[in-house]
Amino acid sequence: MTASLTLNKITAQKGIGITEAANRVADLGWTPSYVQEAMTFPTDYKISKVARDPMKQVLRSYFPMQEEKDNRVYGALDAALRGDMFRNVEPRWVEWMKLFLAIIPFPEISAARSMAMVGRLAPGEELRTGFTMQMVDEFRHSTIQMNLKKWYMENYIDPAGFDITEAAFGKCYATTIGRQFAEGFITGDAITSANVYLTVVAETAFTNTLFVAMPSEAARNGDYALPTVFLSVQSDESRHIGNGHSMLMSMINNPDNHLLLERDLKYAFWQNHAIVDAAIGTFIEYGTTNRDKNKESYAELWHRWIYEDYYRTYMLPLEKYGIKIHHDDVSEAWDRIVKKNYVHKVAQFFSVGWPVNFWRIEAQTEKDFEWFEHKYPGWYAEFGDYWKWYGRKSKPGETNILFDQENGYVYPHRCWSCMVPCLIREDIVCDEVDGKVYTYCSKQCAWTHKLAFAAEYEGRPTPAMGRFSGRREWEDCYHGWDLADAIKDLGFVRPDGKTLVPQPHLRFDDKEMWTLDHVRGHTLQSPLRLLRELSPADREKSLAEYRKGFKIRPFN
Amino acid sequence: MNAQVQTAPQKSGAAGAATFAGSESRKYNYYEPKGRKATHYEDMTVDVQPDPERYLLQDWIISFGDGRPAYSKDSTAAKSSNWHKFRAIDQEWERTHYQRQSTICGMIQNVIDNGRKSGAASRFDKTWIKVLQDHLGAYKHAEFGLGTATMQAQRYGYTQMINNAVLTNSSYKLRFAQDLTLYLAELGIDIGPTLDTAAGKKHWLEDPVWQGTRKSIESIMGATDYLEQYFAINLVFEPLVGELFRSGFIMQLAAAQGDFITPAVVSAAEADYERNLANAVELFHILAHEPEFAAHNQGVFNGWLAEHGALALEAAKNLQPIWSQPRVKVSSFADALAAAKNRIKNIVTEVGIRAPASLTA
Ligand SMILES: [Fe+2]
Ligand SMILES: [Fe+2]
Ligand SMILES: [Zn+2]
């Protein structure tokens, strides 16, 4: 080694340092004088001419560095196969990856697309250069995740669900929340979407739960591949966070922007909480078989990553610029996780809907109960019997739990805003927008639809702001359909034409697997449609009933 | 029930550990591969950007303030009965992209380092150094403009295949603009203050020789139709101006001026362009032979060709004085322009449209 060091010294020649290189690269841009660049991506924000502390980045060191990271990832995947990783992997975990990896490549590539939007608005070429690299990073993330998914499909015991992945992503009643997440990056006001929602909140706060906490849980379940890929993905995020902060700082000193920033921080924080905590919380708490009481629960992780690291050290300091931070939303999100059982109710909802999803969910058992009760005192009283019912109803021939009358679960309303159902029943909000009735999981989500995604905000015109569109309530798409027909339409049937892709258990045996015949004869309905059909008085009565919640019947 | 045939609970999570319905379904089965078998690139790419006409059951769920959805067929004047048909010829996904980009970065760095070590710059013809300073220095901005235009364009395509091809195009252009910038800066270290690294931008902004090129680039950057941008870059600007300068000038003249480094640096862009061109020709060929919209698309393409062709031709002609600047003259502008015109003729013929006589005569 000494020899090569010496050789290096002799052959070393003066090059240009990173700061100078970045400055020179930044000088590539100019202000057009013949034809102006079209302002295709509108914003209601005012952006100052200079960015604050953009990161120093050049492509000639970027590409080799990224290739090296890739080499480590692909080397590790090969090593995992040589080490027979799948022989010891926990299927309970890998099954949830069918959902997670169906969702995540689209948000990633959407982040790449959204770089066009902030790139055009970037004050200064150094920051624009940062956004160009982020664009290529996000292309990396999207395709490296598609590759991981294919790798699971090829090597895991049950490939069904991975094989239909992008079709399932477009159709499933659970992936709808992931689409809400990703479309938020690429539509509406360019700063709202590509800066505040994507970077200032999603990347800065929530990628830690996504890309750091999840890999740890994967490893506890014998999955060494996911950590390799996602920690590599996460290693790009610090640059993205830096880009986003730089952009934010170029707007924050202008008091004209404060109202919009307060709106967008509120919207973005709450949506990220509602969506990311629902999904990732479920994967981490319910997709694991590891019940080590010394490990952090999702609530504990949330407190560390979101509350301590993000809220206290990133959000709170924004107050010194005169930005009003919604402390109450942060504490309400925390309460939803620790006091109102948000994650547990989401996991319960996903399992109730198993016939219309595309992965297997097995029942939680005694081993799991003890851990839940330890981490979330009172859990057993509320959820223990439910999971026992679920276990009993996992056998073909029983009524599927979605339509089961015995256990006492009541199918929830959808939140029009975050797309997660209104699971904390007492918090449901019903409101009218443009003369139509909608349901929301929380007052924050009602605010998001009614006041934030609108043509004006607190008297100020906001023509650039996005609008909610499409057939947002998934249940409406299959209102009046027979369950078996809906599953066929969703494409959630295995190649034999009758066995369902989803199964409420991990028994890899045809005799135990549900087919279309087992689920036929039940009609799906849209809760919102039914609610809208009621008279105002009956609607109030129905909502009052809903707010009281339901009680799972004692299991015996 | 016979206890002896009951199997132990499933232990292994590995493929093949059990046989049941779907246990052998180990291919992405939701799209039609272009060839007999799906390629890895296709698996990484197809349908990741959803489409309400395929699997997007609930349609796009957030729109712009004016009602435009996240992705719309109206983002271009071109029409297609099947936007999903296109596959990138270079089959790029992240791994191949980083491997290729990283290899190029290493190749360029080696050439520059070794050249500098051997004192190459001191043997460059003095007049040539000024040519590099002013004109290669100006041209790097054109490449940057193409990089930012494609960065913009990759937001709009109707499929993931189109957008990723445009994205990698952007990545190549931005890298090359930076390659030139840093190469000139490093030459400056060896040559000293006689090489003014700020001169290139001044020429780009003010020198009449470069104003046609700048106008052509700004017209591409200012276009709001993403396919117009992609078309104008790869089918028009690159053959008429980009290659004209890179191949017809730098690559051909450098050696005679004692410069073997610059051609190596610039050669990377020629190879990049071959890939971008192949992708673009494939896409525009598909659209020009559309079962429903061939005539419409050919009309649109002819319009783009006429508009951007006129700008690019004007830009090319403006560059003529550069050919007379090097001390050793080994090729003429007339020859280079003739080659460029021939090139664009071949390219558009490949696509299936005809170049107007004004461009090829
Ligand atoms: Fe990412
Ligand atoms: Fe990112
Ligand atoms: Zn909500």
Side-chain angles (χ1 to χ4, degrees):
Chain A
M1 285 306 104
T2 328
S4 68
L5 276 179
T6 316
L7 185 66
N8 265 338
K9 217 170 178 178
I10 293 166
T11 56
Q13 50 190 344
K14 187 170 169 287
I16 49 172
I18 183 74
T19 304
E20 193 197 336
N23 288 341
R24 286 180 184 277
V25 161
D27 196 38
L28 278 164
W30 73 95
T31 307
S33 62
Y34 295 105
V35 181
Q36 297 309 312
E37 288 182 284
M39 271 329 307
T40 21
F41 296 114
T43 181
D44 300 322
Y45 280 88
K46 295 192 176 66
I47 296 156
S48 77
K49 293 286 170 284
V50 259
R52 183 104 69 80
D53 306 325
M55 293 180 83
K56 309 284 179 205
Q57 311 168 74
V58 290
L59 290 171
R60 83 167 169 197
S61 45
Y62 166 79
F63 284 119
M65 170 182 82
Q66 297 298 87
E67 191 207 11
E68 188 48 43
K69 281 194 208 166
D70 266 7
N71 289 341
R72 288 199 291 269
V73 168
Y74 293 99
L77 292 184
D78 290 345
L81 285 188
R82 281 197 307 273
D84 243 346
M85 178 188 111
F86 283 93
R87 213 174 49 193
N88 299 310
V89 83
E90 292 293 345
R92 179 189 273 186
W93 173 260
V94 181
E95 287 296 329
W96 283 100
M97 295 303 100
K98 292 176 181 175
L99 171 60
F100 175 59
L101 291 173
I103 291 176
I104 196 72
F106 180 61
E108 295 283 12
I109 205 64
S110 300
R113 307 294 173 236
S114 78
M115 290 301 106
M117 302 158 72
V118 275
R120 190 51 74 81
L121 297 171
E125 293 300 334
E126 264 182 330
L127 187 51
R128 167 134 70 164
T129 302
F131 288 137
T132 64
M133 279 183 214
Q134 183 169 350
M135 171 184 76
V136 190
D137 281 339
E138 305 294 7
F139 165 68
R140 173 174 186 260
H141 300 173
S142 177
T143 48
I144 208 171
Q145 292 161 4
M146 288 301 289
N147 183 75
L148 175 66
K149 182 161 58 179
K150 184 179 179 185
W151 188 81
Y152 283 125
M153 173 174 69
E154 288 167 346
N155 297 294
Y156 169 65
I157 184 167
D158 186 1
F162 285 126
D163 55 352
I164 55 170
T165 184
E166 295 306 308
F169 173 64
K171 293 193 157 191
C172 174
Y173 84 123
T175 55
T176 178
I177 69 173
R179 283 181 265 118
Q180 171 69 17
F181 185 58
E183 287 186 42
F185 301 167
I186 49 174
T187 42
D189 189 306
I191 293 298
T192 307
S193 54
N195 182 243
V196 182
Y197 186 67
L198 168 62
T199 305
V200 172
V201 179
E203 290 182 308
T204 308
F206 286 87
T207 53
N208 283 315
T209 60
L210 265 162
F211 298 156
V212 183
M214 249 187 59
S216 310
E217 209 51 52
R220 293 189 186 104
N221 287 280
D223 176 1
Y224 302 102
L226 186 111
T228 306
V229 172
F230 279 87
L231 294 175
S232 187
V233 164
Q234 181 69 5
S235 70
D236 294 334
E237 290 305 328
S238 59
R239 277 183 290 108
H240 305 177
I241 292 165
N243 291 339
H245 191 255
S246 224
M247 188 83 209
L248 176 64
M249 288 299 122
S250 73
M251 302 179 292
I252 204 162
N253 284 314
N254 186 341
D256 264 8
N257 290 328
H258 287 188
L259 185 67
L260 298 181
L261 270 175
E262 286 163 11
R263 176 197 69 185
D264 290 345
L265 283 167
K266 179 180 170 73
Y267 145 64
F269 180 83
W270 192 259
Q271 281 257 326
N272 268 274
H273 147 64
I275 292 172
V276 179
D277 290 334
I280 309 300
T282 299
F283 303 153
I284 289 181
E285 303 293 53
Y286 286 81
T288 189
T289 54
N290 180 291
R291 296 305 179 192
D292 174 3
K293 287 180 184 158
N294 294 319
K295 76 172 185 185
E296 287 175 308
S297 67
Y298 189 75
E300 290 166 306
L301 289 165
W302 199 96
H303 198 266
R304 181 150 65 92
W305 293 115
I306 309 296
Y307 187 83
E308 294 290 343
D309 280 13
Y310 181 69
Y311 169 64
R312 291 175 62 90
T313 65
Y314 187 99
M315 260 179 132
L316 281 184
L318 298 180
E319 282 189 322
K320 68 171 185 273
Y321 298 94
I323 304 290
K324 192 174 124 216
I325 297 297
H326 297 274
H327 310 282
D328 45 341
D329 286 352
V330 178
S331 52
E332 177 58 22
W334 173 243
D335 281 352
R336 292 219 304 175
I337 290 170
V338 294
K339 294 189 191 146
K340 298 181 176 179
N341 288 326
Y342 185 57
V343 170
H344 308 299
K345 288 177 172 170
V346 172
Q348 184 178 35
F349 167 73
F350 281 151
S351 70
V352 163
W354 77 259
V356 286
N357 61 37
F358 57 97
W359 64 98
R360 293 171 182 258
I361 302 173
E362 70 166 345
Q364 301 289 315
T365 64
E366 295 292 344
K367 269 194 301 200
D368 305 301
F369 296 168
E370 207 190 317
W371 185 87
F372 279 118
E373 188 60 29
H374 175 75
K375 290 291 186 181
Y376 299 94
W379 181 92
Y380 185 79
E382 191 168 350
F383 300 99
D385 276 353
Y386 167 78
W387 285 105
K388 292 180 194 166
W389 280 113
Y390 184 89
R392 178 179 291 173
K393 303 285 171 182
S394 72
K395 293 177 190 67
E398 295 282 349
T399 303
N400 69 83
I401 196 144
L402 180 56
F403 285 92
D404 174 59
Q405 299 298 307
E406 238 181 314
N407 77 90
Y409 189 81
V410 175
Y411 194 83
H413 283 285
R414 276 277 170 177
C415 175
W416 192 259
S417 186
C418 68
M419 311 298 239
V420 180
C422 311
L423 298 171
I424 298 166
R425 313 262 161 161
E426 64 272 29
D427 286 351
I428 191 173
V429 173
C430 182
D431 204 342
E432 283 188 29
V433 177
D434 297 331
K436 275 188 121 172
V437 167
Y438 298 96
T439 47
Y440 308 96
C441 72
S442 54
K443 63 180 195 296
Q444 290 85 348
C445 272
W447 169 91
T448 299
H449 179 216
K450 192 168 181 169
L451 299 177
F453 278 71
E456 62 166 64
Y457 182 67
E458 297 193 0
R460 174 184 173 155
T462 51
M465 191 62 179
R467 299 288 188 283
F468 287 171
S469 62
R471 304 165 75 187
R472 293 181 64 88
E473 193 209 15
W474 181 88
E475 287 77 2
D476 187 60
C477 302
Y478 289 112
H479 183 79
W481 284 55
D482 184 274
L483 176 58
D485 295 333
I487 294 172
K488 265 210 289 209
D489 187 73
L490 287 162
F492 298 168
V493 182
R494 291 172 186 250
D496 67 355
K498 60 177 205 273
T499 309
L500 308 186
V501 171
Q503 297 288 330
H505 57 72
L506 294 174
R507 297 184 288 271
F508 302 103
D509 180 343
D510 282 329
K511 290 195 297 292
E512 302 263 14
M513 283 163 64
W514 293 61
T515 66
L516 287 169
D517 291 338
H518 293 123
V519 292
R520 200 178 303 281
H522 304 283
T523 306
L524 292 164
Q525 288 192 305
S526 149
L528 182 58
R529 222 190 263 210
L530 300 179
L531 189 73
R532 282 173 173 171
E533 282 165 7
L534 297 178
S535 70
D538 286 346
R539 194 178 302 141
E540 271 322 305
K541 240 187 272 168
S542 160
L543 287 164
E545 206 44 46
Y546 190 85
R547 286 192 187 95
K548 283 187 212 151
F550 59 87
K551 186 95 186 81
I552 293 294
R553 299 216 176 85
F555 181 85
N556 42 51
Chain B
M1 208 193 237
N2 185 342
Q4 281 163 313
V5 298
Q6 273 195 339
T7 45
Q10 193 56 56
K11 275 284 190 281
S12 171
T19 303
F20 50 90
S23 62
E24 288 313 312
S25 184
R26 300 191 183 275
K27 288 190 167 56
Y28 289 159
N29 62 19
Y30 44 85
Y31 73 92
E32 204 67 57
K34 183 182 169 194
R36 210 167 38 80
K37 270 178 62 188
T39 64
H40 197 70
Y41 150 79
E42 286 179 301
D43 279 345
M44 300 304 98
T45 314
V46 182
D47 282 324
V48 173
Q49 177 177 315
D51 178 352
E53 291 175 13
R54 285 172 67 77
Y55 305 117
L56 198 54
L57 176 72
Q58 296 172 264
D59 209 335
W60 295 108
I61 51 184
I62 310 178
S63 75
F64 286 95
D66 61 6
R68 269 182 305 147
Y71 293 96
S72 159
K73 291 177 180 174
D74 298 336
S75 298
T76 177
K79 292 182 190 298
S80 175
S81 53
N82 177 15
W83 282 108
H84 297 267
K85 188 172 178 195
F86 169 73
R87 302 286 189 271
I89 298 297
D90 67 0
Q91 300 268 302
E92 207 109 296
W93 62 292
E94 71 91 17
R95 191 162 198 207
T96 56
H97 185 67
Y98 283 98
Q99 281 172 335
R100 188 162 186 282
Q101 289 281 43
S102 175
T103 303
I104 293 167
C105 291
M107 183 275 284
I108 290 175
Q109 201 58 56
N110 277 338
V111 168
I112 295 174
D113 286 352
N114 291 326
R116 290 181 62 206
K117 238 173 266 170
S118 68
S122 66
R123 292 186 296 277
F124 282 16
D125 184 274
K126 296 289 166 287
T127 318
W128 180 247
I129 290 173
K130 183 154 167 34
V131 169
L132 293 180
Q133 165 196 294
D134 294 348
H135 301 306
L136 191 61
Y139 179 72
K140 68 185 191 296
H141 298 279
E143 291 283 339
F144 180 76
L146 300 180
T148 53
T150 35
M151 179 181 183
Q152 168 82 1
Q154 60 88 34
R155 165 64 186 81
Y156 288 102
Y158 198 69
T159 71
Q160 184 83 342
M161 290 72 82
I162 295 171
N163 284 330
N164 282 3
V166 179
L167 185 154
T168 53
N169 194 154
S170 174
S171 173
Y172 284 125
K173 290 283 130 187
L174 292 164
R175 189 216 73 234
F176 184 55
Q178 296 192 11
D179 289 345
L180 292 180
T181 306
L182 300 178
Y183 165 56
L184 289 170
E186 285 176 327
L187 266 191
I189 296 174
D190 294 351
I191 289 168
T194 46
L195 192 148
D196 173 9
T197 49
K201 189 164 188 181
K202 209 168 149 50
H203 281 265
W204 175 248
L205 294 174
E206 295 165 16
D207 186 344
V209 161
W210 286 103
Q211 296 320 292
T213 304
R214 184 155 72 86
K215 189 175 177 189
S216 179
I217 291 285
E218 288 182 10
S219 301
I220 292 170
M221 290 163 70
T224 53
D225 182 319
Y226 75 97
L227 278 186
E228 177 184 347
Q229 292 183 306
Y230 193 49
F231 182 99
I233 289 169
N234 287 295
L235 305 193
V236 185
F237 183 90
E238 288 273 29
L240 274 181
V241 186
E243 275 190 332
L244 176 81
F245 181 76
R246 295 189 307 253
S247 280
F249 182 71
I250 297 286
M251 306 277 282
Q252 290 205 25
L253 278 89
Q257 326 298 322
D259 175 6
F260 67 87
I261 307 180
T262 314
V265 173
V266 170
S267 71
E270 297 302 80
D272 295 341
Y273 175 50
E274 289 302 334
R275 299 165 73 90
N276 294 326
L277 176 64
N279 290 341
V281 164
E282 173 73 7
L283 175 59
F284 291 110
H285 180 272
I286 289 172
L287 295 170
H289 296 82
E290 239 294 312
E292 276 179 63
F293 303 109
H296 168 86
N297 288 340
Q298 288 174 21
V300 170
F301 298 164
N302 282 327
W304 292 342
L305 188 55
E307 186 193 336
H308 292 281
L311 288 165
L313 189 62
E314 178 71 12
K317 286 178 175 165
N318 281 354
L319 293 176
Q320 178 164 10
I322 298 176
W323 267 254
S324 53
Q325 290 183 12
R327 204 176 48 79
V328 188
K329 297 179 177 50
V330 289
S331 76
S332 75
F333 174 74
D335 290 348
L337 185 63
K341 284 177 167 180
N342 197 40
R343 175 80 151 151
I344 192 172
K345 193 170 135 195
N346 289 337
I347 290 170
V348 298
T349 308
E350 189 91 352
V351 166
I353 52 173
R354 281 215 347 222
S358 57
L359 284 187
T360 56

